[in-house]
C-alpha cells in the first residue's frame, strides 16, 4: 500500500518558466513550509546555493519530500539552463513521472524541447502545467498548439483558463465540468460561467473522444450519447498518461497561488507510483547477455542507483540514491558493483532541500541521501553484497569549454586541488586537470555559465581566490584514414628484460568513441596480457599527440603479435601499445575535432537578415526557420562553439536587444583544414615562446 501512495516526480522546463516558484507553492500547500519562499527575494527553499539565490536560477537539482492526500511525493527540482543539462539527465534516470512546465507567454522554448526529448528517451510519463497565465501576452491555446507541433505531445487540455493576463480569474475542470475561482487565500468551486460553457463543452468532447480510444466502455457510452462517469474518465486518463499516449494539460499562475493545489491532485491521480512503473531490468555483472529483474518490493534483494553527490559542510559527502528494490538500514554493508568494492552505510537521511531528517530504514521507491560512502560516484549501482547486478548508468555529456585558472596565492595550490576534486565528484560534467609542464590548472565544463558558477563556488565555499584566464574550446583529436602498424618493444638492462610485439589496425570510428577488437589466434599473445594492450592505447589517447587534446573515435583491431615466456609482462605490452599508437597516429592523417552546438534563436522578423548574416560569418548554418508568434521567428541550426564567444553581446547589438538564443552541445566534427592549419601554427608559435 505504501508504494501505491508514493510519487517520485521531477519538475522540469526551460529557464524562467517558474519551476522553483511552483515547487515553493507545493511546499507551502503540503505543509513543508509555513511561508512561501520567493525566487526574486533569494529565499526559495529549493535554491539554497548562494549562486542560485544571486542569479534567481536553479543550478543543482534538489530533492525534497512532502505529503498530499495521504500520499508521499518526492520532488526533484531541476535546472532549466542548458549548461546544467546533466542535472536533468540524472534526475530523469531516477524519477517515475514528470511535470513539464511551460510559460504561457514563452511557450515551447529550446530547453523545453531538450528536456522533453530526454524524458522520451527514459519513457517518463508526464503531465504539463502552463504557468504564468496572469502575465501580459499569455496564450493558453497557442502553447497547447506548440506542444503538439514541436514536441508531438498529443497534448489534451484537462483544464481551461477563465480569462488571461490581468483578467485571469480561475480555471475550469474539463472532466468534472466545474469551475474554480481564486480569492486571496482560498479557492471556490462554482458552476461553469455561461460565457465559457460552449468552449468547455467542445474541450470535453475532444477529451472524451481521445480517451474513448483507450477504453471500450467510454466508447460505447459516447456513441450512445450517454453520461460518462468522472471515475471512468479518470481511470482511462491515468492509463493513457502512464502509457505515454497523451499529455494532460493543466494551467494556472503559481506566483498568484492559482492552480497549484489542483496540480497536486493531478500528480496523485495521473502520475505513476513505483508499482505502476514495475520491475527494472539489470545486467548480470559476469555475463553481459544475462539479465535480472528487480520488482519494487522491500522483500526483493536491495538495488539502487547513485545519482548525485553533494558535499555538505556539516555531515560531509551526501550520496543521493534511488532505491529500486529491497531495503537498507544504517550500518549495513552493501556492494558497489560498478567499482566492485564494498561500502558501509553510515547514516540515512530523508532530505528537505538543505535540511535533513535521519531515518533508520529506507525501502523500495525511496529517494534518500547516504552518509559514509567512500568510493561511490554518480551512476554507480549499489546492491546486496551477494547480488552482482549492474543497473543502466547515467549518460554524461562531454565537456566543451575550458578555462585556465591558478590560485591568487601560491600557498593555496593544495587547497585549490582539494576543492576541484570535491567539485568534480559532485558534478560528472565538470573536469579539472593539472598540466605539470605549463604549471597550469585547466577546468572544463558544459558552457561559460557552468564554469562561472564553479569559479564563484571556489571563492565562496572553499575560500580559494583564483586568477582566471580566457576561456577556450575543448578540442579532440582523431585519425582520418585506416592504417595497420607493427612494433616490437625489446629492452634488456641486466636481469629480467621487457619484450612485447603487436600488430594493430586502426580505423576511424566517427561518433562511436574508442573501440578495441581482439582478433588474436593461437595464443601468440597470452589471454591475460591482451587487456594491457588496450590499457596502453587508452592511456596514450587520454593525453593526445597532435595538440595535447584527448584522442577519440578510434577503432583498434589487434591482429597479431608475439611474446616471451619470461620477459613479457603487463607493463611491456602497455609500453609497446603506446609507442605503436604514437607512430601509427602520425601516419593516419590526424585531424582536430571541434564541438559543434545546436543553436536556437528567437528574433523579430525585422532582424532575420542581420542574425543569419552574422551566423554565416561564424561558420554556422541555419537548418529550420519557423514562425514563432506574430512578427517573430525561431531559427534552428548548428554553429561551432569556437566562433561563439561574446555572441550574447553581438546578438544584442544586431537586434537592438530584442532577440534571445540558447545553445547545447550537438557533436564533435572535423575542424576545416585552413582553420586547423591556422590553429597549429599559433600553437607552435606559443610553444616557441
Amino acid at each position: 500500500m505504501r508504494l501505491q501512495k508514493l510519487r517520485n516526480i521531477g519538475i522540469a522546463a526551460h529557464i524562467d518558466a517558474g519551476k522553483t516558484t511552483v515547487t515553493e507553492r507545493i511546499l507551502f500547500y503540503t505543509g513543508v513550509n509555513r511561508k512561501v519562499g520567493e525566487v526574486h527575494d533569494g529565499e526559495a527553499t529549493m535554491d539554497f546555493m548562494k549562486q542560485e539565490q544571486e542569479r534567481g536560477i536553479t543550478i543543482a537539482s534538489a530533492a525534497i519530500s512532502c505529503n498530499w492526500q495521504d500520499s508521499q511525493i518526492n520532488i526533484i527540482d531541476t535546472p532549466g539552463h542548458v549548461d546544467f543539462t546533466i542535472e536533468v539527465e540524472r534526475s530523469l534516470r531516477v524519477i517515475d513521472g514528470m511535470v513539464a512546465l511551460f510559460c504561457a507567454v514563452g511557450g515551447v522554448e529550446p530547453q523545453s524541447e531538450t528536456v522533453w526529448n530526454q524524458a522520451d528517451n527514459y519513457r517518463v510519463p508526464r503531465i504539463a502545467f502552463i504557468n504564468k497565465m496572469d502575465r501580459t501576452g499569455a496564450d493558453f491555446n497557442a502553447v497547447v498548439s506548440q506542444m503538439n507541433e514541436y514536441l508531438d505531445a498529443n497534448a489534451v487540455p484537462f483544464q481551461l483558463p477563465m480569462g488571461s493576463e490581468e483578467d485571469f480569474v480561475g480555471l475550469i475542470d474539463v472532466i468534472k465540468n466545474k469551475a474554480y475561482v481564486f480569492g486571496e487565500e482560498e479557492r471556490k468551486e462554482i458552476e461553469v460561467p455561461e460565457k465559457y460553457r460552449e468552449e468547455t463543452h467542445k474541450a470535453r468532447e475532444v477529451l472524451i473522444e481521445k480517451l474513448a480510444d483507450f477504453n471500450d466502455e467510454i466508447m460505447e457510452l459516447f456513441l450512445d450519447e450517454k453520461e460518462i462517469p468522472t471515475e471512468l474518465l479518470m481511470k482511462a486518463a491515468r492509463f493513457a498518461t502512464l502509457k505515454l499516449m497523451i499529455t494532460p494539460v493543466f494551467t494556472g499562475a503559481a506566483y498568484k497561488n492559482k492552480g497549484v493545489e489542483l496540480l497536486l491532485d493531478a500528480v496523485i491521480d495521473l502520475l505513476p507510483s513505483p508499482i505502476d512503473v514495475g520491475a527494472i531490468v539489470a545486467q548480470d555483472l559476469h555475463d553481459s547477455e544475462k539479465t535480472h529483474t528487480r520488482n519494487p518490493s522491500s522483500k526483493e534483494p536491495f538495488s539502487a542507483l547513485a545519482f548525485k553527490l553533494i558535499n555538505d559542510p556539516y555531515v560531509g559527502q551526501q550520496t543521493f540514491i534511488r532505491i529500486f528494490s529491497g531495503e537498507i538500514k544504517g550500518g549495513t554493508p552493501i556492494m558497489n558493483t560498478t567499482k566492485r568494492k564494498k561500502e558501509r552505510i553510515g547514516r540515512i537521511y530523508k532530505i528537505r532541500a538543505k535540511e535533513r531528517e535521519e531515518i533508520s530504514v529506507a525501502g523500495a521507491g525511496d529517494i534518500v541521501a547516504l552518509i559514509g560512502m567512500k568510493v561511490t560516484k554518480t551512476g554507480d549501482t549499489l546492491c546486496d553484497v551477494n547480488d552482482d547486478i549492474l543497473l543502466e548508468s547515467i549518460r554524461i555529456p562531454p565537456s566543451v569549454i575550458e578555462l585556465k585558472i591558478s590560485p591568487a596565492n601560491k600557498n593555496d595550490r593544495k587547497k585549490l586541488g582539494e576543492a576541484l576534486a570535491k567539485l568534480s565528484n559532485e558534478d560528472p560534467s565538470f573536469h579539472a586537470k593539472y598540466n605539470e609542464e605549463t604549471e597550469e590548472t585547466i577546468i572544463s565544463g558544459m558552457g561559460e555559465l557552468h564554469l562561472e558558477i564553479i569559479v564563484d563556488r571556489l571563492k565562496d565555499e572553499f575560500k580559494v581566490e583564483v586568477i582566471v584566464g580566457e576561456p577556450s574550446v575543448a578540442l579532440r583529436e582523431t585519425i582520418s584514414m585506416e592504417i595497420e602498424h607493427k612494433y616490437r618493444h625489446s629492452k634488456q638492462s641486466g636481469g629480467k628484460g621487457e619484450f612485447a610485439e603487436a600488430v594493430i589496425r586502426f580505423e576511424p570510428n566517427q561518433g562511436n568513441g574508442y573501440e578495441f577488437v581482439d582478433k588474436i589466434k593461437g595464443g601468440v599473445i597470452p589471454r591475460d596480457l591482451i587487456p594491457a594492450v588496450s590499457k596502453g592505447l587508452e592511456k596514450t589517447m587520454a593525453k593526445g599527440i597532435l595538440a595535447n587534446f584527448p584522442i577519440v573515435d578510434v577503432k583498434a583491431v589487434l591482429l597479431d603479435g608475439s611474446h616471451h615466456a619470461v620477459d613479457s609482462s603487463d607493463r611491456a605490452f602497455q609500453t609497446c601499445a603506446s609507442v605503436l599508437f604514437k607512430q601509427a597516429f602520425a601516419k593516419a592523417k590526424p585531424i582536430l575535432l571541434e564541438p559543434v552546438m545546436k543553436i536556437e534563436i528567437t528574433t523579430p522578423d525585422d532582424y532575420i537578415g542581420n542574425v543569419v548574416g552574422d551566423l554565416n560569418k561564424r561558420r554556422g548554418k541555419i537548418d529550420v526557420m519557423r514562425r514563432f508568434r506574430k512578427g517573430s521567428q525561431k531559427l534552428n541550426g548548428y554553429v561551432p562553439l569556437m566562433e561563439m564567444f561574446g555572441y550574447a553581446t553581438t546578438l544584442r547589438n544586431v537586434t537592438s536587444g530584442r532577440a534571445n538564443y540558447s545553445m547545447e552541445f550537438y557533436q564533435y566534427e572535423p575542424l576545416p583544414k585552413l582553420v586547423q592549419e591556422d590553429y597549429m601554427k599559433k600553437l607552435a608559435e606559443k610553444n616557441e615562446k
Side-chain angles (χ1 to χ4, degrees):
M1 191 63 183
R2 179 189 79 88
L3 283 172
Q4 286 173 337
K5 297 284 187 181
L6 181 62
R7 300 288 182 272
N8 288 316
I9 68 164
I11 298 182
H14 187 86
I15 191 167
D16 209 27
K19 293 181 307 301
T20 303
T21 302
V22 168
T23 310
E24 290 300 320
R25 296 308 184 272
I26 288 173
L27 300 183
F28 175 69
Y29 285 120
T30 55
V32 174
N33 285 352
R34 290 182 184 171
K35 76 181 186 81
V36 174
E38 302 295 2
V39 176
H40 56 262
D41 295 334
E43 291 182 358
T45 307
M46 301 297 273
D47 287 351
F48 55 87
M49 283 168 58
K50 181 172 182 281
Q51 291 74 22
E52 294 177 313
Q53 292 165 356
E54 285 172 353
R55 289 170 174 78
I57 61 170
T58 304
I59 296 161
S61 59
I64 198 160
S65 294
C66 58
N67 294 297
W68 185 254
Q69 282 187 14
D70 75 359
S71 293
Q72 182 186 325
I73 305 174
N74 292 327
I75 303 168
I76 294 183
D77 183 38
T78 58
H81 198 286
V82 289
D83 280 14
F84 308 103
T85 189
I86 178 67
E87 294 286 345
V88 181
E89 189 83 26
R90 56 180 164 190
S91 300
L92 285 167
R93 181 67 187 81
V94 297
I95 59 176
D96 299 327
M98 186 174 97
V99 177
L101 231 64
F102 299 92
C103 171
V105 182
V108 175
E109 305 239 43
Q111 185 67 357
S112 316
E113 294 189 50
T114 302
V115 172
W116 195 270
N117 292 335
Q118 285 173 304
D120 276 343
N121 291 339
Y122 286 107
R123 303 284 301 157
V124 177
R126 68 215 80 146
I127 60 177
F129 184 72
I130 297 175
N131 191 26
K132 303 190 179 183
M133 277 305 302
D134 57 330
R135 286 266 303 274
T136 303
D139 190 334
F140 176 82
N141 292 327
V143 180
V144 173
S145 297
Q146 287 174 24
M147 286 176 67
N148 287 324
E149 186 180 347
Y150 304 145
L151 307 177
D152 197 20
N154 199 5
V156 183
F158 275 49
Q159 289 177 348
L160 296 174
M162 289 198 288
S164 65
E165 303 180 350
E166 61 187 26
D167 298 325
F168 176 61
V169 292
L171 307 166
I172 296 164
D173 185 318
V174 175
I175 285 186
K176 291 180 181 173
N177 216 3
K178 293 287 182 187
Y180 298 93
V181 290
F182 299 90
E184 286 296 312
E185 297 292 328
E186 75 295 321
R187 73 171 194 259
K188 193 163 71 174
E189 186 180 302
I190 60 169
E191 292 300 315
V192 176
E194 180 70 40
K195 68 187 237 185
Y196 295 110
R197 280 182 193 168
E198 188 181 339
E199 185 188 356
T200 304
H201 177 71
K202 283 180 183 171
R204 199 164 192 273
E205 292 275 295
V206 169
L207 192 150
I208 290 170
E209 277 184 47
K210 292 268 189 189
L211 296 181
D213 290 340
F214 317 116
N215 188 292
D216 292 341
E217 201 177 337
I218 293 176
M219 179 67 81
E220 284 177 31
L221 292 168
F222 179 65
L223 293 174
D224 294 342
E225 297 184 4
K226 290 182 179 176
E227 187 59 36
I228 303 168
T230 299
E231 294 74 22
L232 186 57
L233 289 172
M234 287 305 292
K235 181 184 171 186
R238 180 175 177 79
F239 173 82
T241 305
L242 298 189
K243 297 291 182 188
L244 276 72
M245 292 166 173
I246 63 168
T247 305
V249 181
F250 300 85
T251 189
Y255 182 56
K256 297 283 177 66
N257 303 325
K258 293 177 181 177
V260 177
E261 291 169 286
L262 296 171
L263 176 65
L264 277 166
D265 291 343
V267 166
I268 303 300
D269 293 340
L270 298 171
L271 290 181
S273 70
I275 299 282
D276 296 314
V277 174
I280 54 152
V281 178
Q283 185 182 305
D284 190 279
L285 188 62
H286 309 291
D287 181 356
S288 59
E289 300 296 312
K290 193 175 171 186
T291 59
H292 302 269
T293 54
R294 290 288 174 268
N295 290 297
S297 162
S298 292
K299 291 174 183 168
E300 294 250 331
F302 168 68
S303 68
L305 188 77
F307 70 96
K308 186 175 178 66
L309 274 67
I310 289 182
N311 276 294
D312 187 286
Y314 302 105
V315 296
Q317 184 176 287
Q318 296 180 118
T319 305
F320 283 79
I321 66 165
R322 159 70 195 264
I323 303 174
F324 290 101
S325 64
E327 63 177 33
I328 46 165
K329 295 177 181 175
T332 312
I334 55 174
M335 176 63 78
N336 179 326
T337 45
T338 310
K339 300 283 193 304
R340 304 194 184 197
K341 289 187 177 177
K342 281 187 182 177
E343 291 268 42
R344 184 173 289 277
I345 299 164
R347 283 164 288 163
I348 307 170
Y349 284 120
K350 190 164 277 190
I351 302 298
R352 206 200 85 170
K354 62 182 173 182
E355 295 176 14
R356 53 197 166 265
E357 170 198 343
E358 189 169 349
I359 55 176
S360 57
V361 62
D366 284 336
I367 291 177
V368 293
L370 304 181
I371 309 297
M373 299 289 99
K374 297 281 192 294
V375 298
T376 301
K377 300 278 185 292
T378 295
D380 285 2
T381 298
L382 299 172
C383 62
D384 196 283
V385 286
N386 301 313
D387 193 38
D388 288 351
I389 61 163
L390 265 179
L391 299 171
E392 182 191 346
S393 192
I394 293 168
R395 188 188 72 85
I396 296 164
S399 50
V400 294
I401 190 166
E402 294 184 338
L403 205 57
K404 288 172 187 168
I405 61 167
S406 57
N409 182 340
K410 287 196 173 176
N411 296 331
D412 281 345
R413 187 164 283 164
K414 186 183 174 189
K415 200 173 166 186
L416 175 63
E418 289 169 354
L420 291 173
K422 284 182 179 175
L423 290 168
S424 300
N425 255 350
E426 278 186 24
D427 180 355
S429 65
F430 168 71
H431 303 280
K433 61 184 178 186
Y434 180 68
N435 187 325
E436 289 184 7
E437 288 177 20
T438 60
E439 294 190 337
E440 289 175 327
T441 298
I442 298 164
I443 59 174
S444 54
M446 299 300 297
E448 289 181 85
L449 179 62
H450 187 195
L451 295 187
E452 189 186 309
I453 299 287
I454 292 285
V455 170
D456 273 7
R457 290 185 66 190
L458 285 172
K459 292 173 183 175
D460 294 332
E461 276 176 52
F462 299 97
K463 309 300 179 207
V464 181
E465 285 294 327
V466 290
I467 299 163
V468 180
E470 287 293 309
S472 62
V473 172
L475 301 180
R476 297 288 185 267
E477 303 176 16
T478 194
I479 57 174
S480 60
M481 65 172 275
E482 187 178 302
I483 191 162
E484 190 176 304
H485 196 67
K486 177 180 179 180
Y487 179 70
R488 172 180 288 196
H489 172 66
S490 181
K491 188 177 172 187
Q492 295 293 335
S493 53
K496 188 182 175 187
E498 284 187 15
F499 180 87
E501 185 177 44
V503 180
I504 304 177
R505 183 175 72 243
F506 297 101
E507 304 168 11
N509 199 27
Q510 190 177 357
N512 295 312
Y514 166 67
E515 200 179 329
F516 181 75
V517 180
D518 167 22
K519 289 204 171 174
I520 290 294
K521 291 185 174 72
V524 290
I525 299 176
R527 286 279 121 217
D528 60 332
L529 292 177
I530 287 172
V533 177
S534 182
K535 199 172 181 182
L537 294 175
E538 285 185 83
K539 278 186 177 176
T540 310
M541 289 169 73
K543 290 179 183 173
I545 297 168
L546 200 60
N548 290 326
F549 291 111
I551 297 167
V552 296
D553 296 348
V554 173
K555 183 176 183 179
V557 184
L558 180 59
L559 301 169
D560 200 1
S562 63
H563 74 288
H564 186 278
V566 177
D567 292 349
S568 288
S569 63
D570 255 47
R571 180 176 159 178
F573 271 96
Q574 278 194 50
T575 306
C576 172
S578 177
V579 176
L580 187 155
F581 182 66
K582 285 175 183 174
Q583 292 177 353
F585 184 80
K587 296 175 182 175
K589 293 187 180 172
I591 57 171
L592 290 174
L593 302 172
E594 64 175 339
V596 171
M597 312 299 282
K598 230 186 237 184
I599 188 166
E600 179 164 288
I601 306 165
T602 306
T603 176
D605 292 344
D606 298 351
Y607 303 106
I608 284 175
N610 295 357
V611 171
V612 173
D614 178 70
L615 210 62
N616 288 339
K617 284 183 204 165
R618 297 170 186 270
R619 296 191 285 124
K621 58 178 186 284
I622 296 297
D623 193 35
V624 177
M625 203 179 280
R626 67 193 192 212
R627 172 74 50 203
F628 175 49
R629 59 169 82 92
K630 193 176 178 184
S632 68
Q633 303 261 5
K634 271 196 179 182
L635 315 179
N636 291 77
Y638 303 93
V639 63
L641 179 62
M642 186 183 277
E643 307 291 345
M644 294 303 283
F645 292 119
Y647 183 65
T649 307
T650 305
L651 186 66
R652 223 173 11 247
N653 291 341
V654 299
T655 64
S656 304
R658 292 179 62 200
N660 57 61
Y661 79 104
S662 170
M663 279 195 313
E664 64 177 301
F665 175 70
Y666 172 56
Q667 66 182 27
Y668 274 93
E669 291 181 2
L671 207 57
K673 192 177 178 186
L674 289 174
V675 179
Q676 177 166 323
E677 284 172 5
D678 187 47
Y679 183 88
M680 294 304 292
K681 187 179 170 187
K682 284 177 182 171
L683 190 67
E685 288 170 2
K686 186 182 167 189
N687 290 338
E688 280 172 17
K689 291 176 186 175

